[in-house]
Amino acid sequence: MNAEAKTGQGIGARVLRKEDARHLHGRGRFIADMKMAGLKEVAFLRSPVAHGLIRAVGKPAGAEGEVFTRADLARVKPIRSTIQLPTFNGSDQHPLACGKVRFVGEPVAMCVASGRAEAEDLAEQVTLDIDPLPAVVDARAARDDGAGPFLHDEWGSHLVLTTALDTGIDEVARTAPVKVTRSYHMARQVMNPLEGKAVLAYWDDLKGQLVVYTSTQVPHMIRTAIAEHLGLDQREVRVVAPDVGGGFGYKCVLQAEELCLAWLALTFRAPFRWTEDRREHLTSGANCREHVYEVTAYADTQGRLLGIDADITVDAGAYSVWPFTACLEGTMAARQLPGPYAFRAYRARTWTVATNKPSIVPYRGVARTGICFAMELTLDAVARAVGREPWQVRRENLIAAEAMPFTSPGGAVYDIGNYAGSLDMALGEIDVGAVRRRQAARQAGEPLVGVGFANFIEMTAHGTRAFALAGLPFVPGAEPAAVRLTPDGGLEVRVGVQSHGQGMETSLAQIAHEVLGIDVARIAVVHGDTELTPFSTGTYASRSITMAGGAVAEACDQLARRLAKAAAHLLQCAPEQVELSAGLFRGPSGDIAVSEVARIWYLKPELLTPQMSLESLEVTGMFRPKTDTGQYSYGTHGVVVAIDPATATLAIEDYVIVEDCGTRVNPLIVEGQTYGGAAQGIGTALLEEMPFDGAGQPLASTLADYLMPGAAEMPPIRLRHLEIPSPNTRFGIKGVGEGGAIPPPAAIFNAVNDALASAGVEVSATPLTPRRLFAAIAAWEAAQPGATPPVPAPRERAP
Amino acid sequence: MKPARFDYVRPRSVEDALARLASEPGAKLIAGGQSLGPMLNLRLARPSLLVDIGGLPELFQADAGADESFVGAGITHAMIEDRMVADGSAGFMPHVARTIAYRAVRNRGTIGGSIAHADPAADWLLALTALGADVIVARSTGERRIALPQFVIAAFTPALGESEMVLGFTFPSLSAGARFGHAKLARKLGKFADAAAAVIVDRPRGVCRIALGRPEGQPVLLPGLADQVAADGQPSPQDIAAALASALPELDAFERRILSGALGRALAQALMP
Ligand SMILES: Cc1cc2nc3c(=O)[nH]c(=O)nc-3n(C[C@H](O)[C@H](O)[C@H](O)COP(=O)(O)OP(=O)(O)OC[C@H]3O[C@@H](n4cnc5c(N)ncnc54)[C@H](O)[C@@H]3O)c2cc1C
């Protein structure tokens, strides 16, 4: 039943986000906003070199008690994130560098002072004696290089992990009439949530607890990690995530700085805070995305895919992040690369390579932005090779709706979906024929227009088995939610996931409202505090609305059943005779509001049977989807671009998104997630890049050099929905958090390649900088009939 | 990313500010702080004393006389954008102001700070070069006037003595009938230009100036091309390429393309019938 019709607050209602009021009024409470008597600030001295042996770290005279190195933190265990795969090489990441530094920005010493500026003054005085080693910067080259020096000497190799799967590519390779080979490069990126990382830790004598406020997506995991790494009982650790200004995956892993701050508070029984600044964020924190693909597609003469052979190299940086390890990217890429396409022969080999760069962290869309890029650009190349429309070839290769559930050659099981329906909807929005006519009628001096499409799938609410198979330190189980009716008929909902921009304080309240009919304004969603919420692995991988949403519904159902008994008693009928709707229990001879039942249960128990008050109105519900293999959202992005050769600039003329995330709990929030994701994807396509020089120095240390998309860079996006409810979840919900960020680079590059197709010119490396675009334009121009050979320039630079 | 320790004063007059500068060798002026602020935070600038001239009334003067115009150094980009000060540039300066950074930066950033910072990619540097501006520099012994191209010695190196400051800029006023074109190619809104061009055609005054800006190297004037435009109107692509090649022979193919692209757009605007 849809509650919107009744109250406009339940599932499907465009309820304004409750959390926005405090943010819009500047009254949010982020860690940097907190005040506390005696609070000291921390600055880290970070390695200035990418690779080297630490000879000495010298504390400034007189400040020995304010500067700390690895030796001081003896009780803190190194972070060792492992995965049970035979080729995996594990590494120890020390909270402060130990013996060796492995990337520019690796914390070496921790400096404490009354303010951050003073702490930075101290850090400047610390002396650092490092013997530099050659830096490993190019993962693709290091992959085939058996020679050291290696980041982790004990490995005797650069490889964190290699995997291989092959469902029989050789056969297809021998016989396929069409073979297309391409290479692709996804640039290293930085996530840049508005709020960087921040940690404030203190000792609470009242409870005998180490309290760690940290800007995290996964408070319970961090609590477990801190307890384990500091040798504490978990009851001695409380982790709180107050307002968190975005995460995107950066905040779903344990960070060395979290352990450092926890150690300070535990050791000195006083409050300490570290607030990551943007330079730290850019140069030492949230690195992600860097993959190299070498893909060969085999097809028939119509472009029907017969097989895909993909070599995938992941530039993993220095260490394996806890708990997801550096392997998540490579394993996910191999498993998910086939995407929504129905071919059978598949070989995927992956190399996860350690480099002297910050550790790779799973970023919104984890690996799938890269594989979508590789797969969708390859499909367009196949279409051009067989001389057909890319959309047509794309459509014919899609898995049919009737074939669901479908096990992909990568081993993923797709639950439900109408992939061709999604593409058709996008085709209905973008007039490909009109683009073709403009291309044919183009006059010299006019822009080059092109149209591109990309299909994607988004694995949401991953199940237990997928994680257990990977042997990760943390495997999500069923998801809990605890609900508590208050004596005035309001509701508290406690969840172990964390909301940091997803609007769950609203959407989870809508789900509770859907079941109980309590006004959304009277439902408080409590999250982000290990003391107040049930254990959960937290918010990541587009899981929260499906998992926690299901659990809230489950808990509310149980609560409703208990209330129904009391209501039936009060209405003098049998429990089966009462029906709950819009917050009212209706019986054969009258009705009673949920709030009245609550009041009586808590304050007038004499009106109920003694048995009834033994059933608490505080209920924990558990949820897991019917299938454990993930709930797949999917969709299509379609783009029209116009390239101006005169200025080497690109304009996005039209951008259409079609997606199916099942039942939309709050369409407004879904749209926000999609637009935000698409903005990040457009950033991936056109702007964002963290370059390194040959010595491993990061070359973008401020936002003047690392370009983020802003409002002005966003094209108007037309968003359309297919809404095919999942048969496996409560209300048919699927996740939607990551999808928007997956296909934009693929769709935009396909459109650019379409614009340049007449000359067979293709772009294949993100981001499409003006220099890279110009190189493609110049190649296109050189191929035009009557083109004069380009005037040789006195000085050419690499793009 | 917090500054090293510094002292801070807010002088009441230009004279007072100059005295402060002279009295302390490590002193530095701060106006809008939009360039100096980040440099302080990154500890690339470590003055012992900041002399805050933001809000000094003497630096807010502006005048659009029949022959000569003046813009005070303390005037913000936003004041120019909003036409809150007299404009002798026939709308050219308000147009350029709108393309600088973001509104939040424009609210504080000053034209004097922009030129004194001497970032070759600064939009005011290009615009004032195209206007043929001079810089008025104050020192304790009086004022001096220096042509803008001479003022910027090299990137981030203005021709300013230790205890001198910029008072403002003068330039020959444009007539009401003047036409201009301005194009800024940047990777995103609010970024410094990768390539920029300004074209001023003031037929009643017999003025035609064309200037190009880029991240490396100061703006350059293309007087030959300007003469040609004054005489014949729209130049051919070959003429543009030739002018570019002679003014900036060291450009690579990409730089040539975007500069000629920006110039083409600016010319088209200025010469629009
Ligand atoms: C995000 C961002 C984007 C930007 N984008 C652009 C852009 O697109 N185009 C562009 O042109 N600029 C851009 N800027 C720079 C901006 O325009 C600055 O405001 C300007 O360059 C400096 O002006 P200010 O008043 O802030 O100077 P300050 O930062 O206060 O000072 C800069 C320097 O000038 C000196 N100084 C200041 N006033 C005087 C004076 N009267 N006499 C002598 N010396 C003086 C200071 O000592 C200092 O060395 C951007 C800045 C930011 C933060």
Side-chain angles (χ1 to χ4, degrees), chain A residues 381-721:
Chain A
V382 167
R384 284 192 290 274
V386 300
R388 297 187 66 210
E389 269 288 354
W391 69 261
Q392 240 157 1
V393 168
R394 178 170 276 101
R395 193 176 189 291
E396 288 164 10
N397 278 299
L398 287 169
I399 298 161
E402 310 77 56
M404 296 288 179
F406 181 93
T407 302
S408 89
V413 183
Y414 308 145
D415 47 350
I416 187 171
N418 181 1
Y419 299 162
S422 167
L423 178 60
D424 288 347
M425 215 160 167
L427 286 164
E429 297 291 334
I430 288 187
D431 188 347
V432 176
V435 173
R436 296 283 169 255
R437 287 190 293 280
R438 282 172 71 190
Q439 287 172 333
R442 176 178 180 270
Q443 303 287 313
E446 283 179 3
L448 292 156
V449 293
V451 59
F453 293 93
N455 290 316
F456 72 99
I457 54 168
E458 178 188 4
M459 184 193 191
T460 78
H462 306 229
T464 301
R465 210 160 353 122
F467 281 86
L469 282 176
L472 287 171
F474 243 104
V475 176
E479 186 70 20
V483 299
R484 176 160 79 190
L485 200 64
T486 56
D488 62 353
L491 192 74
E492 291 165 0
V493 175
R494 297 162 195 281
V495 286
V497 294
Q498 211 278 342
S499 182
H500 43 279
Q502 296 89 345
M504 282 190 267
E505 290 172 28
T506 309
S507 54
L508 292 179
Q510 286 180 257
I511 289 176
H513 169 86
E514 180 77 23
V515 178
L516 296 171
I518 297 170
D519 205 64
V520 162
R522 301 194 66 212
I523 300 174
V525 175
V526 180
H527 63 99
D529 188 338
T530 57
E531 199 81 346
L532 302 177
T533 64
F535 181 91
S536 160
T537 55
T539 295
Y540 55 93
S542 304
R543 66 188 299 275
S544 293
I545 195 65
T546 309
M547 300 300 291
V552 167
E554 187 57 37
C556 289
D557 278 347
Q558 290 183 38
L559 182 64
R561 283 197 290 275
R562 295 181 189 181
L563 287 170
K565 283 188 210 162
H569 178 77
L570 294 166
L571 295 173
Q572 300 192 351
C573 64
E576 310 80 66
Q577 288 179 291
V578 297
E579 194 192 308
L580 175 60
S581 115
L584 221 54
F585 283 103
R586 293 173 205 281
S589 58
D591 50 37
I592 183 167
V594 168
S595 57
E596 182 60 11
V597 181
R599 193 184 67 83
I600 290 169
W601 192 92
Y602 284 106
L603 307 177
K604 297 269 171 211
E606 70 272 20
L607 300 181
L608 301 173
T609 69
Q611 191 55 34
M612 280 170 188
S613 44
L614 289 176
E615 278 204 322
S616 161
L617 297 188
E618 219 172 314
V619 189
T620 300
M622 299 297 292
F623 175 74
R624 89 156 23 117
K626 286 184 198 135
T627 53
D628 193 43
T629 42
Q631 317 305 318
Y632 283 84
S633 293
Y634 60 92
T636 306
H637 287 208
V639 187
V640 178
V641 300
I643 299 166
D644 177 12
T647 51
T649 51
L650 174 146
I652 296 175
E653 280 193 352
D654 195 10
Y655 204 114
V656 168
I657 298 178
V658 178
E659 66 183 11
D660 175 7
C661 62
T663 302
R664 287 172 293 161
V665 175
N666 182 330
L668 212 51
I669 290 176
V670 169
E671 287 158 22
Q673 289 292 310
T674 304
Y675 292 139
Q680 288 174 308
I682 289 170
T684 301
L686 301 177
L687 296 168
E688 297 187 44
E689 179 170 28
M690 173 54 76
F692 287 79
D693 70 11
Q697 288 291 335
L699 299 179
S701 62
T702 73
L703 291 177
D705 297 315
Y706 188 92
L707 303 189
M708 298 289 298
E713 284 66 55
M714 283 292 284
I717 291 177
R718 295 184 289 134
L719 183 54
R720 301 287 179 266
H721 286 277

Side-chain angles (χ1 to χ4, degrees), chain A residues 120 124 277 708 713 795, chain B residues 1 46 188-189 252 257:
Chain A
E120 289 184 21
E124 281 188 335
D277 65 34
M708 298 289 298
E713 284 66 55
R795 178 172 58 91
Chain B
M1 235 169 45
R46 310 179 73 128
K188 58 176 287 197
L189 191 83
D252 69 22
R257 174 65 57 93

Side-chain angles (χ1 to χ4, degrees), chain B residues 28-38 53 59 73 77 99-102 105 108-110 112-114 116-117 121-124 160 164-167 184 190-193:
Chain B
K28 198 161 182 53
L29 296 174
I30 183 163
Q34 297 304 295
S35 294
L36 187 53
I53 54 169
L59 300 180
H77 313 333
T99 69
I100 301 174
Y102 314 95
V105 173
R108 292 191 155 267
T110 65
S114 175
H117 189 56
D123 293 303
W124 285 136
L160 267 182
E164 288 187 328
M165 67 187 280
V166 175
L167 277 188
K184 176 177 177 180
K191 267 284 289 172
F192 281 95

